[in-house]
Amino acid sequence: MKLEQAARQLEALGKPTRLEVYRTLVRAGPNGLPVGRIQERLGIPASTLSHHLHRLILTGLVTQERQATTLICRANFPAMNELLGFLADQCCADAGCGAAADEAAA
Amino acid sequence: MKLEQAARQLEALGKPTRLEVYRTLVRAGPNGLPVGRIQERLGIPASTLSHHLHRLILTGLVTQERQATTLICRANFPAMNELLGFLADQCCADAGCGAAADEAAA
DNA sequence: GGGCTATTTCGAGTATTATCGAATGAATGG
DNA sequence: CCATTCATTCGATAATACTCGAAATAGCCC
């Protein structure tokens, strides 16, 4: 993964509002959640939520699929995985720290 | 870890410039690197670099220690670990995805 | 097509952030 | 104490981003 792409994704998760949206989608699992449901849960104005979702989609962290009039949003788990991998690589490339090892052991 | 704290750290890593600084420190390992050395490597103006380092320090991702006239900067590995843990928890709390498992197996 | 629901796009106001040169502060060595 | 080196703070500018109401679009059902 390129550094710039990673930075974009990290930035996308770097605002509490968006991180909460993303967390909600992650917790919803592979079935995803309609936009309206997210809005109900988090109490965000529709236009604001749409804006944040768009940003998350642009970075590839979230996908959308149309079902009739509602749009289902899903967390893109492989993308998250890649991002975690990038961060872990940074950490353990030359450092020899126990970071990833701890995670794996836990 | 609180969501807001995680968001602050993610935001800190969310700009290419800062991510590069952080990566440089991570790769430097526990010995860290003087501010001037980072500047040489990345070619960033001193004031800009100082600004970014300050942000990284505020979020707890980087620490500084004075050695005579030079300031040694170090990546805070436990903080990074906590952040990775937070993201992994988000991912696997209810979703049952294979994310962390894949990382561990790799 | 008319009405209805779900969601996005538009537009504007506000706030935060990045960048960098110049000036300032901190610490050592003579 | 003065000169020197290392790094931060100041100040100003430009760019980017957040927020949200109003208007527009997409798709279904009758």
Side-chain angles (χ1 to χ4, degrees):
Chain A
M1 180 185 297
K2 294 201 313 272
L3 181 134
E4 290 229 341
Q5 167 73 353
R8 263 192 298 272
Q9 295 186 338
L10 290 167
E11 181 181 45
L13 298 175
K15 293 291 173 188
T17 312
R18 273 196 302 262
L19 186 52
E20 208 164 4
V21 169
Y22 186 70
R23 170 161 73 168
T24 303
L25 287 178
V26 165
R27 299 194 112 100
N31 292 334
L33 227 51
V35 176
R37 193 61 60 92
I38 305 172
Q39 192 192 343
E40 283 173 15
R41 283 203 199 173
L42 303 184
I44 305 171
S47 58
T48 303
L49 176 58
S50 188
H51 165 69
H52 287 309
L53 279 172
H54 186 63
R55 281 188 73 88
L56 287 168
I57 289 164
L58 278 184
T59 64
L61 285 170
V62 166
T63 61
Q64 271 184 340
E65 181 200 350
R66 182 127 231 158
Q67 282 188 8
T69 59
T70 73
L71 276 168
I72 308 294
C73 305
R74 289 188 183 87
N76 186 356
F77 293 104
M80 161 68 113
N81 244 6
E82 238 186 296
L83 181 57
L84 286 173
F86 176 86
L87 289 176
D89 288 349
Q90 296 310 305
C91 185
C92 302
D94 307 336
C97 71
D102 291 349
E103 285 302 317
Chain B
M1 180 187 296
K2 293 202 313 272
L3 181 134
E4 289 230 341
Q5 167 72 353
R8 264 192 297 272
Q9 294 187 339
L10 289 167
E11 182 182 45
L13 298 175
K15 295 289 173 191
T17 312
R18 272 196 302 261
L19 186 53
E20 208 164 4
V21 169
Y22 186 69
R23 171 162 73 168
T24 304
L25 287 178
V26 165
R27 299 193 112 101
N31 292 333
L33 226 51
V35 176
R37 192 63 59 93
I38 305 173
Q39 192 192 344
E40 281 173 16
R41 283 202 198 174
L42 303 184
I44 305 171
S47 58
T48 303
L49 176 58
S50 188
H51 165 68
H52 288 309
L53 279 172
H54 185 63
R55 280 188 73 87
L56 287 168
I57 289 163
L58 278 184
T59 64
L61 285 170
V62 166
T63 61
Q64 271 185 340
E65 180 202 349
R66 182 128 232 158
Q67 281 188 9
T69 58
T70 74
L71 276 168
I72 308 295
C73 304
R74 289 187 183 87
N76 185 357
F77 292 104
M80 160 69 113
N81 244 6
E82 237 186 298
L83 181 58
L84 286 173
F86 176 86
L87 289 176
D89 288 348
Q90 297 309 307
C91 186
C92 302
D94 307 336
C97 70
D102 290 350
E103 284 303 316

